[in-house]
Amino acid sequence: MILQTKRLLLRPWQDSDAEDLYRYASSPEVGPIAGWPVHTSVQNSLAILRGVLSEPETYAVVPKAVGHAVGSVGLMIGTASALGIPETEGEIGYWIGVPFWGQGLIPEAVEEMLRRGFVDLGLETVWCGYFDGNLKSRRVQEKCGFLYRYTRENVPVPTLGDVRAEHISCLTKEQWLTR
């Protein structure tokens, strides 16, 4: 499935995206703040593309003006989320390469994923989290109408070998419809 917004195509990741994925996910400013290690090679990116990024409802963020993948957005529904949510709820995750920060592309992608979740998939609530210090991610959530719910302390981040505080927010379908 391909989703479109004014400036973006959201489409499934493809093996041919491995070099672009590596270009942006190898930056130390991107992955570690979101809880995953920097990509170390195109082969490493290809393995992640074929694993985590091949999950259902996971999309490459492709600005129409650029023509290649520069980030990712996805919904983890029910048990696919680590938040212990029912199958009628989802958790959204996202990231974008440093050269595209501050352009409003991820809020635009998140808005389309909210539409997808609430309208197409019939979700009742969408959750989102960010680790302490990830102010850009927090700002995306605020722009998109998510409301703070709680903080989880000492959340293990096994891929980085540490623990962090994670701030959790959510948006109900009713709240989304009345914004």
Side-chain angles (χ1 to χ4, degrees), residues 2-11 59-65 73 103-116:
I2 296 175
L3 306 172
Q4 285 196 58
T5 69
K6 182 179 178 184
R7 299 183 294 164
L8 301 172
L9 291 176
L10 305 179
R11 61 159 173 78
Y59 299 88
V61 175
V62 181
K64 292 175 183 176
V73 65
Q103 298 177 27
L105 297 173
I106 285 298
E108 187 173 323
V110 168
E111 288 292 348
E112 177 58 16
M113 292 307 294
L114 290 170
R115 187 210 59 77
R116 171 94 176 126

Side-chain angles (χ1 to χ4, degrees), residues 9 24 41 85 106 136-137 158:
L9 291 176
Y24 301 112
S41 67
I85 56 177
I106 285 298
K136 288 177 178 31
S137 187

Side-chain angles (χ1 to χ4, degrees), residues 63-129:
K64 292 175 183 176
V66 175
H68 64 264
V70 302
S72 189
V73 65
L75 279 170
M76 296 161 284
I77 298 170
T79 55
S81 165
L83 297 177
I85 56 177
E87 295 300 312
T88 57
E89 299 180 2
E91 176 188 1
I92 197 165
Y94 49 80
W95 66 268
I96 196 163
V98 175
F100 301 93
W101 287 4
Q103 298 177 27
L105 297 173
I106 285 298
E108 187 173 323
V110 168
E111 288 292 348
E112 177 58 16
M113 292 307 294
L114 290 170
R115 187 210 59 77
R116 171 94 176 126
F118 292 133
V119 176
D120 298 346
L121 303 176
L123 297 179
E124 297 170 1
T125 303
V126 174
W127 297 84
C128 197

